Amino acid sequence: MNGTSAKDTSANGADANGKSGDGNGKGGNGASASGTRVNGTRMNGTLERLGRIRELGIVGATVLLFVVTGLANSGFLSIDSFRDILLNASIIGLLAIGQAMVIITRNVDLSVSSTTGLSAFLAGVLLADHKGLPVIVVALACIAMGAAWGLLNGALVAYFRIPALVATLGTLYVIRGVDYWFAGGRQVNAADMPSGFLSLGTAKIVGVPVLPLITLAVLAAVGWGLANLRSGRELYAIGSNPDAAILAGVPVTRRLLTVFVLNGAIAGLAGVLWAARFGTLDATVATGKELDVVAAAVVGGVAISGGVGSAWGAALGALLLTSISSALAVLKVDSLAQYAINGALLLAAIVLDRLLALRLAARLRKKSRERSVETTPLAAEATR
Amino acid sequence: MSEPQVSDPTPVLALADVSKSFGAVQALRGVRLSLFAGEIHALAGENGAGKSTLVKTFAGVHRPDDGQVLLNGEPVVFHSPADAQHAGVAVIYQEPTLFPDLTVAENIFMGRQPRGAFGRLDRGAMNAAAEELFARLGVVLDPAGPARGLSIADQQVVEIAKAISRDAKILIMDEPTAALTGREVERLFAVARTLASHGCALLFISHRLEEIFSLCQRVTILRDGAWIATESVSDLTEDDLVQRMVGRELTELYPKVAVDPGEVALEVSRLTREGVFTDVSFNVRRGEIVALAGLVGAGRSEVARAIFGVDRWDAGSVAVEGKPLRAGSPTTAMAAGVALVPEDRRQQGLVMELSIERNMAVTGMKRLRRGPIIRGSAERALASDWATRLQLKYSRLSDAVGVLSGGNQQKVVLGKWLSTDPKVLIIDEPTRGIDVGTKAEVHRLLSNLAAEGLAVLMISSDLPEVLGMADRILVMHEGRLTAEIARADATEEKVMAAATGRGEAAA
């Protein structure tokens, strides 16, 4: 390989009489560099890949948060405190996992909060009015209802090409409206529901509450699928370059439809968990939570411009945001200030992400330029 | 290598009298073309002759308005690129279509990744398969690295690997060699010949005639969207081919008026933007058309963007009529009399949904307003004035710009900038995607503007245009100026040599 490259460049040098010395010099460099390049690329590659694991940053931030808050108040590091944070994070985390799939395709689903609310109320009503219904049937009904709304979102986005932001903003209000109509001012209380169901919110398996375990199970499935299934990788392709995805034969419409349906189903499941955890249900459940969910995904490294991120990151983002709320409470920060702090954190995450992306792009650009300088000059072709 | 086997009478893939139009533009008119197994077929024609539309018709991106696509002699309709792929058609597009956020190997195998148990992707096998493809192509690329940041040549390599990995029966290459090194071109040709000898049908598009003659057996020539001829390459000379492609005398297309250049209007010295272009110095005089030539990706458009202030520069200076410009400020550049007609009309030059008059007036808001209100009558007067001067073909000034043909859209962009009374006009690819008739009109316009004392910096990848229109030619390679050639000394070979880094240093 050294031999060919040197020969080739000196041949070029020979027909460019004015610059032959320079050409040869460059050829020499190129040859010696290309000898070591293979190893160099490998090593840089590993470093780069490590650097690209965005989730590491969030883990670091979460650990830092716990250490700092723990120093101020050691109670924050107790088992009970951890359990509380996990419980609080599990519903937003679940929704963030679904949202991550949607955002990866360069879309967004704002209607999840309404779906969760309607699902929670549906679960409550079913359990309160039909005492004999098994919990699993209720859960499946709620999930199916969520999936149906997801199908509507998916159809609007994939078939009718309505921007997801607008389509799901519309369905956010529609679903909430259905919720109000369905509830008709009614409130379902914990006392109306079987205790077996409510214990879902507090039950533990070997000391770990069930709710986070459910989230973890969904996380494992979605996380694995996104990373390891063809259809999962195709979601990244769609978000990374929608036009190229069509040219590559990716069934874009079907994939988008599936993603919205899955996200809707997850929102349905989240509603069931909400009902079990909080017990008091009316038509306002989960109002405004869609923004927390999007924030969690973005803080977790899911790029709002699509193509980048993971379900793990989104779940970690939810955990971080929840931990911050808990930490601020422990540190006796005014709860009103928490909004501002969460917002600032979101901005910081996005700015940091943008900076990292710019630096990475500059480095790759430089690397590619070096590569093409050390290989031979581009071929003759200026007309097109 | 071996003689073409065209004994099989049924073409693998064919177009039968296919027509296609986009709005007012007739891109294809009754085009016929047959691809046979084992044959490498060339498609030749000028820019805007309809080559890319033809490729996209084969690829399932466009469906013909009229006529048929025939697969093994049977009419088929490709509803999507996926349909065409399933039929065995692989296309290497002029513009690479990669997923920047995914790895190189994933880009190659998207939708066809090797799988293990439970449908789990086998990344090891995928990377190994990619390595193997790269070995066949003789290149070193990290399959697990991200596609973002690859050079154009590397991106093209990935595209070729993608097509080869599909094991396609029909391989269509839309200018695959545009950004490859001589060695890579030879390697590609070797691969193409091997594929042909294995019974693959190839369609090859290139502007480099010598490539057509060395690689292909037959050639189909298009002009202005119409089929002109299909002939055996061995029966043709290069001159015959050019004659059929152009169909008219070159002087007609490039009506350049000789002008005595005046004082320096634009002075660029030692301009550098890290990693994009380095130490670029030149000037443009009043009345002069200076062409900036080079390969796609050499940094020409980037220099233009920096001069106009869209991007910042890191070092150096730009002055208009002796007054220095501020880095990164388009407002200052405009105030100083710089106008930029960008390469991509649809994205950067025009608001397609807005009317002709609105588009023309958008640069003149300050002059057209009374208080905070823009006067519609003034807008219309300005637009109709320029429409007349530029011989714009339109039905009403209130029509959306999107309905005009490419050439007329370009005139609207020109009008929009000329109405600011610029001293320096930077125009990026002035006639890309414009039909040959309008092309000559745009050229005449540029020539007249220069004759009136405008300094014109013209970026063009169209070599005949560069040679036909420019008083001086600057050539860029890899972000540096590599040559300055006077009109009288300019030849295709000299420009090409400099554009590929083989030329002499700037005189």
Side-chain angles (χ1 to χ4, degrees):
Chain A
M1 144 120 233
N2 282 353
T4 15
S5 137
K7 207 170 93 195
D8 205 81
T9 323
S10 58
N12 282 337
D15 47 68
N17 37 22
K19 227 181 156 185
S20 65
D22 194 38
N24 277 332
K26 232 162 72 181
N29 286 340
S32 62
S34 63
T36 52
R37 192 175 71 226
V38 178
N39 293 329
T41 313
R42 283 287 138 69
M43 242 166 60
N44 286 341
T46 316
L47 276 178
E48 243 160 46
R49 252 164 270 156
L50 213 64
R52 265 184 281 123
I53 303 177
R54 295 162 176 241
E55 291 78 14
L56 279 182
I58 318 155
V59 174
T62 314
V63 169
L64 189 72
L65 178 79
F66 275 94
V67 170
V68 171
T69 318
L71 285 177
N73 184 341
S74 60
F76 192 64
L77 296 179
S78 70
I79 296 285
D80 278 345
S81 158
F82 281 137
R83 193 175 291 152
D84 253 15
I85 289 172
L86 271 184
L87 268 174
N88 289 339
S90 52
I91 291 176
I92 294 296
L94 186 62
L95 290 170
I97 293 162
Q99 192 70 245
M101 289 193 287
V102 179
I103 297 180
I104 282 169
T105 64
R106 206 182 274 189
N107 285 295
V108 73
D109 186 350
L110 297 179
S111 72
V112 286
S113 54
S114 299
T115 310
T116 303
L118 179 58
S119 164
F121 193 79
L122 178 68
V125 166
L126 286 178
L127 289 164
D129 296 356
H130 309 271
K131 295 280 188 217
L133 270 183
V135 171
I136 186 72
V137 172
V138 173
L140 287 176
C142 289
I143 291 172
M145 189 270 303
W149 287 116
L151 189 66
L152 174 64
N153 282 329
L156 290 173
V157 173
Y159 284 117
F160 297 104
R161 306 282 157 89
I162 299 172
L165 189 76
V166 181
T168 60
L169 186 63
T171 50
L172 177 149
Y173 287 111
V174 169
I175 301 169
R176 188 59 72 181
V178 170
D179 197 2
Y180 276 110
W181 168 79
F182 177 49
R186 179 177 168 186
Q187 188 175 37
V188 178
N189 294 310
D192 305 333
M193 289 185 280
S195 58
F197 175 69
L198 292 171
S199 68
L200 254 184
T202 48
K204 291 168 201 157
I205 297 175
V206 287
V208 185
V210 170
L211 245 51
L213 286 181
I214 293 175
T215 299
L216 209 60
V218 173
L219 173 60
V222 173
W224 186 85
L226 278 178
N228 292 303
L229 291 180
R230 275 185 192 171
S231 46
R233 301 311 295 169
E234 284 173 356
L235 301 186
Y236 287 88
I238 293 168
S240 191
N241 186 346
D243 296 333
I246 295 171
L247 291 177
V250 172
V252 176
T253 308
R254 209 163 72 218
R255 291 284 172 268
L256 288 183
L257 213 54
T258 312
V259 157
F260 276 100
V261 168
L262 283 177
N263 191 40
I266 286 175
L269 175 63
V272 180
L273 301 190
W274 189 293
R277 173 148 167 74
F278 297 104
T280 308
L281 308 167
D282 59 20
T284 64
V285 162
T287 302
K289 288 296 174 197
E290 69 280 347
L291 298 181
D292 293 4
V293 170
V294 174
V298 171
V299 166
V302 182
I304 201 81
S305 51
V308 176
S310 70
W312 297 96
L316 282 169
L319 186 63
L320 177 59
L321 288 185
T322 314
S323 305
I324 288 172
S325 301
S326 302
L328 293 176
V330 166
L331 297 173
K332 304 212 164 43
V333 174
D334 187 346
S335 66
L336 294 176
Q338 289 184 20
Y339 279 110
I341 291 172
N342 278 343
L345 189 85
L346 182 67
L347 289 178
I350 293 169
V351 169
L352 184 72
D353 199 59
R354 183 78 195 130
L355 287 177
L356 285 177
L358 284 177
R359 264 189 52 191
L360 182 70
R363 209 167 67 232
L364 289 173
R365 207 169 60 191
K366 209 174 135 212
K367 207 175 93 183
S368 153
R369 204 160 268 283
E370 281 163 5
R371 245 185 65 85
S372 50
V373 167
E374 76 190 32
T375 52
T376 45
L378 294 179
E381 165 59 287
T383 49
R384 37 166 295 179
Chain B
M1 310 267 172
S2 56
E3 280 302 299
Q5 299 296 312
V6 199
S7 51
D8 188 346
T10 315
V12 189
L13 191 65
L15 293 182
D17 295 319
V18 162
S19 297
K20 176 79 190 173
S21 56
F22 302 100
V25 185
Q26 182 91 32
L28 293 178
R29 273 182 283 214
V31 170
R32 65 200 94 135
L33 176 68
S34 300
L35 303 178
F36 294 95
E39 188 196 41
I40 307 180
H41 195 115
L43 184 60
E46 288 192 298
N47 288 338
K51 301 189 299 287
S52 290
T53 309
L54 188 152
V55 168
K56 286 185 170 163
T57 307
F58 273 144
V61 177
H62 299 322
R63 273 159 295 289
D65 298 335
D66 208 3
Q68 284 176 323
V69 179
L70 304 171
L71 182 69
N72 297 317
E74 300 292 322
V76 284
V77 179
F78 295 144
H79 292 285
S80 68
D83 276 4
Q85 276 169 26
H86 288 139
V89 181
V91 183
I92 299 172
Y93 290 97
Q94 207 171 328
E95 314 284 341
T97 53
L98 297 186
F99 306 112
D101 301 303
L102 302 185
T103 71
V104 167
E106 278 194 291
N107 265 285
I108 296 175
F109 293 105
M110 180 49 64
R112 302 168 294 122
Q113 300 97 326
R115 292 186 287 191
F118 309 110
R120 186 181 202 276
L121 294 191
D122 190 341
R123 286 208 162 72
M126 185 165 73
N127 290 341
E131 292 264 22
E132 199 183 313
L133 286 168
F134 292 145
R136 264 170 77 185
L137 290 167
V139 290
V140 183
L141 266 183
D142 180 10
R148 190 184 296 283
L150 288 182
S151 71
I152 301 222
D154 285 348
Q155 292 184 35
Q156 203 58 266
V157 166
V158 174
E159 291 285 347
I160 292 165
K162 198 196 288 183
I164 294 174
S165 75
R166 282 185 197 284
D167 222 2
K169 293 279 156 282
I170 300 122
L171 180 63
I172 297 169
M173 298 186 284
D174 192 353
E175 298 194 41
T177 57
L180 298 188
T181 68
R183 202 149 38 101
E184 285 163 337
V185 168
E186 266 318 306
R187 209 180 290 131
L188 172 69
F189 283 9
V191 173
R193 290 186 183 111
T194 315
L195 290 172
S197 71
H198 285 87
C200 193
L202 285 88
L203 181 65
F204 177 82
I205 299 171
S206 173
H207 277 286
R208 295 168 66 195
L209 302 184
E210 73 275 14
E211 288 184 352
I212 292 178
F213 281 96
S214 76
L215 183 69
C216 305
Q217 282 94 49
R218 287 193 308 151
V219 56
T220 291
I221 299 141
L222 297 183
R223 189 201 307 152
D224 300 346
W227 178 87
I228 299 299
T230 298
E231 293 183 64
S232 182
V233 166
S234 52
D235 299 342
L236 285 176
T237 65
E238 284 204 16
D239 287 343
D240 295 339
L241 189 52
V242 171
Q243 179 65 45
R244 284 165 177 71
M245 278 165 62
V246 178
R248 74 198 81 193
E249 290 299 315
L250 280 182
T251 46
E252 235 179 277
L253 250 181
Y254 306 107
K256 176 73 176 84
V257 183
V259 176
D260 283 328
E263 66 270 34
V264 171
L266 174 70
E267 175 89 54
V268 174
S269 66
R270 316 216 59 167
L271 205 64
T272 298
R273 179 170 157 82
E274 293 300 341
V276 182
F277 53 82
T278 311
D279 203 11
V280 173
S281 302
F282 65 87
N283 62 48
V284 184
R285 294 170 178 279
R286 286 170 59 94
E288 236 186 350
I289 299 181
V290 173
L292 197 49
L295 302 180
V296 174
R300 297 169 299 162
S301 303
E302 288 75 8
V303 170
R305 286 169 61 90
I307 294 173
F308 192 66
V310 183
D311 299 328
R312 305 187 68 89
W313 62 76
D314 297 320
S317 65
V318 177
V320 174
E321 297 194 326
K323 280 190 305 222
L325 295 187
R326 204 141 48 86
S329 167
T331 329
T332 324
M334 275 173 72
V338 183
L340 173 69
V341 176
E343 179 179 8
D344 188 343
R345 284 189 295 280
R346 304 189 73 87
Q347 297 291 332
Q348 297 169 1
L350 292 169
V351 187
M352 302 310 278
E353 298 80 13
L354 283 189
S355 66
I356 297 168
E357 53 197 16
R358 277 284 149 80
N359 268 291
M360 286 238 200
V362 79
T363 51
M365 297 295 188
K366 273 206 183 109
R367 281 171 291 118
L368 298 177
R369 75 182 181 190
R370 179 177 290 154
I373 312 290
I374 306 283
R375 286 170 302 150
S377 58
E379 212 173 68
R380 215 158 304 129
L382 173 111
S384 88
D385 178 28
W386 279 101
T388 317
R389 288 172 69 176
L390 300 174
Q391 299 173 4
L392 188 73
K393 293 190 189 70
Y394 65 96
S395 41
R396 275 176 322 200
L397 285 172
S398 54
D399 286 343
V401 158
V403 305
L404 298 178
S405 73
N408 281 299
Q409 286 177 8
Q410 186 69 307
K411 287 184 189 171
V412 174
V413 186
L414 268 170
K416 156 182 147 179
W417 283 109
L418 294 175
S419 69
T420 65
D421 198 14
K423 303 187 173 76
V424 177
L425 175 69
I426 305 174
I427 184 160
D428 198 349
E429 302 290 358
T431 58
R432 171 171 294 176
I434 291 178
D435 62 273
V436 181
T438 320
K439 208 165 156 176
E441 270 183 63
V442 171
H443 287 150
R444 187 169 305 114
L445 202 62
L446 285 179
S447 179
N448 292 343
L449 288 168
E452 287 166 22
L454 189 67
V456 179
L457 179 63
M458 176 182 81
I459 299 173
S460 176
S461 298
D462 186 341
L463 213 43
E465 177 172 275
V466 167
L467 296 174
M469 292 302 296
D471 294 298
R472 268 187 302 142
I473 300 167
L474 306 168
V475 189
M476 280 187 80
H477 169 64
E478 302 265 324
R480 289 174 186 276
L481 274 186
T482 48
E484 176 170 343
I485 307 168
R487 181 179 179 86
D489 306 331
T491 61
E492 286 207 17
E493 290 71 29
K494 275 192 191 169
V495 176
M496 289 313 310
T500 54
R502 285 182 282 124
E504 297 163 42

